[in-house]
Each structure stands twice: as structure tokens, then as C-alpha cells.
Amino acid sequence: IGFGLPARGFRFGVDSVAGALVELLVRLDLRNVVLVGTCLGGYAAQAAANPAPEQVSRLVLLQTPAWHDGQAW
């Protein structure tokens, strides 16, 4: 996650960004993280929080509906 061109083979989308975020949280052994996302970043934060409840304690969503793919947070 950052600026510039994506790594070869990386398909940019909500699920791929969420997966990269979860991988980062796990590799850094971060727990009780508060994720903040606006618009598309809010969708990615929600998608990352669902499979990683031990890493994510709270979500702050700005200008983002409180669901992703029909699943409420």
C-alpha cells in the first residue's frame, strides 16, 4: 500500500487492498488497531476487519456506507 505502480500481478481492488492490509497487520503483529478509511478506503477497512477481528478493534468510516458486499460491520 502506498504510492507508485503496483507490484507485478497485483490486481487493485477492495479485496486485494484489504488482503494486503491484513497481511501487514499480521506481519507487524499489530493488535487492537483502529482503522480509518474514507470512501473506497472505508470499504477496504471493512473488508480487512472482518477476517481479522483480533487485529482490528474499531473502524472509523468517513463518507463510506457501513457495509461491504452486503455484509454489515
Side-chain angles (χ1 to χ4, degrees), residues 14-15 17-19 22 35 41-52 59 68-69 73:
V14 171
D15 292 329
V17 171
V22 170
L35 291 180
Y43 280 119
Q46 290 176 81
N50 275 334
L59 288 175
H68 170 67
D69 287 342
W73 165 251

Side-chain angles (χ1 to χ4, degrees), residues 17-38:
V17 171
L21 180 55
V22 170
E23 184 178 338
L24 178 67
L25 295 176
V26 170
R27 283 185 183 216
L28 295 178
D29 195 28
L30 298 176
R31 300 185 186 283
N32 298 316
V33 171
V34 177
L35 291 180
V36 179
T38 181

Side-chain angles (χ1 to χ4, degrees), residues 5-11:
L5 295 174
R8 184 171 236 128
F10 184 83
R11 297 184 63 92

Side-chain angles (χ1 to χ4, degrees), residues 35-43 45-46 59-66:
L35 291 180
V36 179
T38 181
C39 198
L40 180 62
Y43 280 119
Q46 290 176 81
L59 288 175
V60 178
L61 305 175
L62 307 165
Q63 298 178 332
T64 304

